[in-house]
């Protein structure tokens, strides 16, 4: 196995994703690597409710505020300073890959739900990142809550 120097944890803040964060932290320690965290918010645009448009800008601002808070909390837990915590808005897999490339990451760690059937055909973020990344990707299986 090669030596990793910069690991990017793609965090989605689900309860089940603690295993993913723990795996990224363990790899950081194993390789004495730098750890960064990214969380991506999908954009919320204007929705149309009947005849009148509904502006969801306030909802997006609230979601962004919550995500920022969760990112800071996870960063504190993992010892990741604010300058390596990235909150991006866009298409999740594209933003993960973009930030990974810009920050010279050599390993992306993210969760995978292991979907089957129709959900697999429709694709997943982990699958998209895995197939388009030019670096290693570790997809950590997320176990379903009971």
């Amino acid at each position: 196995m090669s030596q990793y120097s910069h690991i990017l944890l793609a965090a989605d803040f689900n309860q089940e994703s603690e295993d993913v964060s723990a795996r990224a932290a363990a790899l950081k320690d194993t390789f004495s690597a730098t750890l960064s965290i990214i969380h991506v918010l999908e954009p919320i645009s204007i929705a149309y409710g009947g005849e009148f448009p509904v502006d969801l800008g306030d909802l997006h601002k609230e979601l962004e505020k919550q995500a920022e808070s969760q990112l800071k909390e996870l960063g504190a837990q993992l010892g990741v300073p604010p300058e390596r915590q990235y909150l991006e808005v866009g298409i999740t897999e594209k933003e993960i890959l973009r930030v990974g490339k810009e920050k010279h990451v050599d390993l992306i760690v993210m969760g995978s739900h292991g979907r089957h059937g129709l959900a697999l055909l429709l694709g997943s973020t982990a699958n998209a990142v895995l197939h388009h990344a030019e670096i290693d990707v570790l997809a950590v299986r997320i176990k379903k809550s009971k």
Side-chain angles (χ1 to χ4, degrees):
M1 183 184 291
S2 65
Q3 177 76 27
Y4 296 112
S5 61
H6 192 176
I7 298 168
L8 179 63
L9 167 62
D12 63 6
F13 305 134
N14 289 336
Q15 219 171 6
E16 300 91 11
S17 62
E18 286 181 16
D19 289 345
V20 181
S21 299
R23 186 69 53 92
L27 287 166
K28 174 193 86 149
D29 293 343
T30 298
F31 293 108
S32 298
T34 298
L35 180 62
S36 296
I37 307 170
I38 184 171
H39 177 74
V40 181
L41 286 173
E42 296 275 339
I44 297 178
S45 52
I46 303 293
Y48 293 92
E51 295 178 25
F52 303 100
V54 178
D55 183 2
L56 297 177
D58 288 341
L59 175 61
H60 181 78
K61 286 178 188 170
E62 182 60 31
L63 290 172
E64 196 168 351
K65 195 166 102 177
Q66 288 177 3
E68 204 170 79
S69 174
Q70 290 172 303
L71 186 59
K72 285 180 183 176
E73 185 178 323
L74 182 59
Q77 288 173 3
L78 298 176
V80 176
E83 62 270 13
R84 290 199 318 268
Q85 299 173 18
Y86 308 106
L87 178 59
E88 304 296 331
V89 176
I91 298 169
T92 304
E93 57 270 16
K94 288 184 178 183
E95 292 302 309
I96 292 169
L97 293 169
R98 180 186 63 78
V99 169
K101 187 172 189 169
E102 286 178 5
K103 303 302 177 184
H104 307 288
V105 166
D106 49 18
L107 176 65
I108 297 170
V109 177
M110 60 190 312
S112 174
H113 294 279
R115 294 188 173 95
H116 301 285
L118 185 58
L120 180 61
L121 289 175
L122 295 175
S124 70
T125 301
N127 189 44
V129 170
L130 181 63
H131 283 78
H132 293 99
E134 297 176 1
I135 59 172
D136 291 351
V137 178
L138 173 62
V140 178
R141 177 76 62 183
I142 295 177
K143 297 172 181 77
K144 294 180 183 174
S145 297
K146 295 180 180 178

